[in-house]
């Protein structure tokens, strides 16, 4: 009798182990994978435009190869097709990957899954996204690690909303189609040599197809411009101290703002085909523009995060002036591929 009870107990124990082991196995894999997701432009996106999804994955377990997947089966109607990218994760590796998706306005979350070559789901994680109205403006401000961010949230044109993403160079996609939602990208105090060739090409493709790029100068002008000297309207070669930037105020708002404060600007060469829009009384260029394909590149020789521009209370008007003085984009830039 005792032996029969012992056999029953062993049988129940074995059944219990088999019944819970799949769940334990799934949870175990979930725990060894760390994932962070950045959707669109600080979660903002335009419905049906290509939108970048940046995924950071760390593997704390055994090596695996597979793919990162966003699909209708798990993300719902926010995506109409499956989008994926392959990934190889050795033990202890941490890697980033980019998936470009076309999203719809509802629902407001997507799910990213890490699926190995056998079809096993090692990890899944959701991220939220916020859709923009058709006429809303969207900006990306790309800064260096120690640069104070600036706000373009007040740059409204026509009464529509304006949203912005604050990026470092790692956020910039490596495909121009992923930038098509942007109305403006600004580069401030970055090390542009840290951009990959694909990222540089993506920015140029986006500009040529109607994008608006603003590159700023100041003390770090040459480092910021180095990767783009072939397309910039102004190539910085040195720095110089000046005592007055009031000509910028006259261009932006026709007011008498006091920008008479010593600051450092970039000096260099105005490129062929470029136009000096604003200059000092000594004819030093302050703001230079050129067209590139259907797009526009503006070069501001000062750093807007430093004085006197940092505390200029109508700085927003300068950005509005730059946006509103560019030529209209040709119709073929709408929805370019």
């Amino acid at each position: 009798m005792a032996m029969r009870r012992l056999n029953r107990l062993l049988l129940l124990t074995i059944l219990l182990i088999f019944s819970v082991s799949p769940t334990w196995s799934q949870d175990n894999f979930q725990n060894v994978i760390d994932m962070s997701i950045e959707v669109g432009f600080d979660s903002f996106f335009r419905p049906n435009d290509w939108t970048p999804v940046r995924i950071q994955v760390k593997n704390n377990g055994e090596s695996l190869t597979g793919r990162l997947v966003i699909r209708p089966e798990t993300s719902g109607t926010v995506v109409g097709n499956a989008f994926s990218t392959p990934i190889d994760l050795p033990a202890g590796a941490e890697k980033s990957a980019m998936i470009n998706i076309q999203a719809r306005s509802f629902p407001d979350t997507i799910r990213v899954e890490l699926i190995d070559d056998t079809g096993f789901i090692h990890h899944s994680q959701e991220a939220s996204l916020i859709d923009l109205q058709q006429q809303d403006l969207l900006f990306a401000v790309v800064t260096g690690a120690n640069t104070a961010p600036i706000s373009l949230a007040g740059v409204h044109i026509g009464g529509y909303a304006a949203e912005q993403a604050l990026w470092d160079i790692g956020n910039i996609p490596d495909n121009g189609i992923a930038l098509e939602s942007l109305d403006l990208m600004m580069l401030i105090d970055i090390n542009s040599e840290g951009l990959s060739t694909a990222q540089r090409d993506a920015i140029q493709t986006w500009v040529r197809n109607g994008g608006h790029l603003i590159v700023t100068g100041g003390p770090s002008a040459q480092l910021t411009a180095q990767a783009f000297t072939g397309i910039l309207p102004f190539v910085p070669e040195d720095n110089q101290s000046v005592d007055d930037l009031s000509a910028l105020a006259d261009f932006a708002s026709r007011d008498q703002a006091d920008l008479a404060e010593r600051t450092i600007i970039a000096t260099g060469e105005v490129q062929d085909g470029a136009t000096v829009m604003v200059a000092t009384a000594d004819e030093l260029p302050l703001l230079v523009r050129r067209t590139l394909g259907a797009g526009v590149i503006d070069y501001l020789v000062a750093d807007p995060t430093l004085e006197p521009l940092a505390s200029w209370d109508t700085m927003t008007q300068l950005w509005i002036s730059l946006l509103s003085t560019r030529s209209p984009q040709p119709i073929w830039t709408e929805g370019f591929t």
Side-chain angles (χ1 to χ4, degrees):
M1 190 65 138
M3 183 61 68
R4 185 177 298 175
R5 287 179 179 174
L6 180 60
N7 288 338
R8 282 183 181 176
L9 182 60
L10 288 173
L11 181 59
L12 288 171
T13 302
I14 291 170
L15 290 173
L16 181 62
I17 290 172
F18 276 100
S19 68
V20 302
S21 61
T23 303
W24 176 88
S25 177
Q26 180 76 18
D27 290 342
N28 183 54
F29 278 113
Q30 292 278 351
N31 290 336
V32 299
I33 299 294
D34 292 328
M35 182 183 292
S36 62
I37 306 168
E38 298 178 41
V39 181
F41 306 86
D42 284 2
S43 298
F44 292 102
F45 80 103
R46 293 192 191 278
N48 301 315
D49 276 2
W50 287 100
T51 299
V53 179
R54 187 169 182 259
I55 307 153
Q56 193 80 16
V57 186
K58 183 176 182 181
N59 182 14
N60 300 307
E62 297 180 358
S63 299
L64 68 93
T65 59
R67 54 206 166 96
L68 294 165
V69 182
I70 301 169
R71 52 183 175 148
E73 292 88 342
T74 51
S75 292
T77 57
V78 70
V79 288
N81 300 290
F83 304 92
S84 68
T85 189
I87 191 166
D88 179 19
L89 287 170
E94 184 171 2
K95 293 188 176 182
S96 62
M98 192 83 72
I99 302 178
N100 296 317
I101 68 171
Q102 286 181 302
R104 299 167 180 167
S105 58
F106 186 83
D108 58 359
T109 59
I110 59 169
R111 179 180 296 178
V112 178
E113 298 170 293
L114 173 58
I115 305 176
D116 70 15
D117 292 337
T118 69
F120 184 84
I121 302 173
H122 285 258
H123 190 86
S124 66
Q125 189 165 317
E126 292 188 345
S128 61
L129 59 168
I130 306 168
D131 63 309
L132 295 170
Q133 300 300 310
Q134 184 176 4
Q135 299 299 325
D136 291 344
L137 297 176
L138 181 60
F139 312 123
V141 179
V142 186
T143 61
N146 300 313
T147 306
I150 66 170
S151 175
L152 299 180
V155 182
H156 301 282
I157 295 179
Y160 296 99
E163 306 291 351
Q164 76 174 52
L166 294 175
W167 279 359
D168 59 33
I169 61 173
N171 292 103
I172 297 175
D174 57 6
N175 193 320
I177 65 170
L179 295 171
E180 65 178 341
S181 293
L182 285 178
D183 294 286
L184 176 72
M185 178 186 291
M186 188 180 300
L187 308 180
I188 306 174
D189 191 18
I190 66 167
N191 179 4
S192 64
E193 284 296 293
L195 294 167
S196 69
T197 300
Q199 287 176 307
R200 302 178 197 190
D201 290 344
I203 292 173
Q204 290 195 39
T205 298
W206 168 71
V207 173
R208 290 182 186 277
N209 286 284
H212 190 169
L213 178 67
I214 297 178
V215 181
T216 65
S220 302
Q222 294 176 68
L223 198 61
T224 302
Q226 197 164 359
F228 301 103
T229 54
I231 63 171
L232 290 178
F234 179 90
V235 176
E237 299 170 351
D238 204 347
N239 295 321
Q240 178 178 328
S241 294
V242 296
D243 296 320
D244 195 355
L245 298 178
S246 297
L248 289 173
D250 184 58
F251 167 79
S253 57
R254 307 299 175 187
D255 65 10
Q256 299 299 315
D258 184 9
L259 298 179
E261 182 175 334
R262 196 161 189 80
T263 192
I264 295 175
I265 65 169
T267 57
E269 192 74 26
V270 176
Q271 300 302 289
D272 292 342
T275 301
V276 177
M277 301 178 71
V278 183
T280 67
D282 297 329
E283 298 187 352
L284 289 173
L286 293 180
L287 190 59
V288 189
R289 168 173 288 181
R290 73 169 291 190
T291 58
L292 184 67
V296 171
I297 303 175
D298 289 323
Y299 191 90
L300 175 65
V301 301
D303 186 333
T305 70
L306 302 178
E307 297 297 347
L309 298 182
S311 59
W312 181 25
D313 57 6
T314 55
M315 188 71 190
T316 295
Q317 191 59 45
L318 177 64
W319 309 130
I320 292 176
S321 296
L322 291 179
L323 282 167
S324 59
T325 55
R326 65 164 293 177
S327 300
Q329 298 181 40
I331 191 65
W332 58 263
T333 63
E334 297 297 325
F336 70 87
T337 59

